[in-house]
Amino acid sequence: MRTLAFLTCLALPAPAMATSLTLELPVGSEVLRDQTSQLDSYALPVGTFADGQLPVLDLQGLVHRGSWSVASQGLTSLQLLDPLQTQLEALGYTILFSCDTQACGGFDFRFETEVLPAPDMHVDLSDFRFLAAQNGDKDHLGLLVSRSANTGFIQMIRVTDAADTDGVIAANTPEGPAEVPDVARLTNSDIASDTVPHLQAQGHVVLEDLSFATGSADLGAGPFASLNSLAAYLKADPSRRVALVGHTDALGTLERNINLSKRRAASVRDRLIAVHGVSSAQLDAEGMGYLAPRGPNLTEEGREANRRVEAVLLNTE
């Protein structure tokens, strides 16, 4: 039977530089995302989602986004979070806020909180935990953990002084931190600037930041950086046209999934028309169901990656 000792088996001294942060992760943990951006921003949740609002601290500076997978069969989300919280407190962090699933605000909290796109992060809506922490005036972080049947997921977003290039997170894994370059996987801060270039270069782009309720075609409230960027591109030239194409995982029948994927694409089309002022003549909405996966449907991570809406550039001639 696994115990908490599994999570603290790689003990190293605290970092010599106060601006760097090294956390002890399990042997065999894998880095999914390790990215730092200058002059960026992050809305750090500091309270429960209630009455349609999520209390946040709007932070700006050097933003590091990191995520890891952990072989965690038999471990709870609390067993994933607790050793990390202990390490943070030992390093001088004060816990500003912590919560568990429904106490966070459930579905609403998850979709109002920045979450790295799949497969870099997975959140089970019935089992996740979050904490916000602060160390001094210029060091804040948000830590989100969740799990699938056999894998735990850890996401940390940290904001430090923009002039401090050493304010990064290092995962204490056998391989150490690794960059995961993949133009199709965009952080929220990259989406606005990368959506149109990727659409023009590849002929299609995944609108990574869109969110839908499970099994529903209702598009989240947003705002969504990908739609802002796409709308500006289309309005700049009325001859430009795109097809919005919905995709699902392979759970359920093909007929049901094609119907759901098309309705989700139609919801995106309606939002672009009603909110962003794009002409309906520039937009089509189609659904592929599970016929064009980008990940294996045998894992929760793959299924989450497959649930998406893409914009496909159409011939304007």
Side-chain angles (χ1 to χ4, degrees), residues 128-316:
F128 66 86
R129 291 175 184 268
F130 178 86
L131 71 78
Q134 176 179 354
N135 190 354
D137 294 333
K138 297 182 179 180
D139 188 350
H140 297 77
L141 61 84
L143 180 62
L144 177 66
V145 303
S146 189
R147 58 191 301 277
S148 62
N150 300 310
T151 306
F153 293 87
I154 301 168
Q155 171 186 294
M156 185 178 289
I157 302 179
R158 184 186 184 209
V159 184
T160 57
D161 193 330
D164 176 14
T165 57
D166 293 313
V168 301
I169 301 168
N172 214 4
T173 64
E175 266 100 54
E179 193 69 26
V180 187
D182 185 347
V183 72
R185 298 192 218 163
L186 307 173
T187 65
N188 286 356
S189 61
D190 293 331
I191 285 170
S193 60
D194 284 1
T195 296
V196 168
H198 192 74
L199 176 65
Q200 291 181 310
Q202 304 297 324
H204 66 99
V205 65
V206 177
L207 305 176
E208 296 279 9
D209 55 342
L210 303 186
S211 61
F212 296 89
T214 302
S216 169
D218 295 334
L219 181 61
F224 300 111
S226 63
L227 297 190
N228 290 336
S229 180
L230 181 60
Y233 171 74
L234 292 171
K235 291 164 69 176
D237 185 346
S239 70
R240 293 170 176 164
R241 296 179 59 242
V242 298
L244 300 164
V245 183
H247 301 265
T248 67
D249 59 33
L251 299 177
T253 66
L254 177 58
E255 180 180 7
R256 178 188 177 278
N257 279 294
I258 287 179
N259 179 267
L260 175 61
S261 62
K262 187 169 184 176
R263 288 190 292 117
R264 285 182 169 177
S267 292
V268 177
R269 181 179 185 272
D270 291 345
R271 181 70 58 85
L272 285 167
I273 294 170
V275 176
H276 298 275
V278 177
S279 169
S280 60
Q282 295 178 267
L283 300 165
D284 290 340
E286 302 294 341
M288 290 291 292
Y290 54 64
L291 295 177
R294 62 172 180 170
N297 278 295
L298 300 177
T299 66
E300 177 55 36
E301 299 78 26
R303 289 191 292 271
E304 185 169 342
N306 291 335
R307 298 190 287 263
R308 67 199 189 277
V309 174
E310 297 188 24
V312 177
L313 191 59
L314 300 178
N315 192 336
T316 58

Side-chain angles (χ1 to χ4, degrees), residues 6-87:
F6 170 73
L7 287 172
T8 56
C9 56
L10 285 173
L12 287 182
M17 297 185 64
T19 54
S20 62
L21 175 60
T22 301
L23 291 180
E24 301 159 7
L25 297 182
V27 170
S29 299
E30 294 185 7
V31 179
L32 302 176
R33 174 64 64 95
D34 180 17
Q35 185 171 12
T36 303
S37 53
Q38 291 276 7
L39 300 176
D40 203 347
S41 60
Y42 171 52
L44 174 66
V46 290
T48 299
F49 183 96
D51 300 323
Q53 299 291 327
L54 179 64
V56 298
L57 289 178
D58 290 316
L59 304 171
Q60 295 182 337
L62 182 82
V63 179
H64 179 87
R65 294 173 171 89
S67 64
W68 301 265
S69 65
V70 178
S72 67
Q73 188 171 10
L75 289 177
T76 66
S77 59
L78 178 59
Q79 289 173 321
L80 287 170
L81 178 66
D82 187 68
L84 299 176
Q85 178 174 340
T86 299
Q87 292 177 64

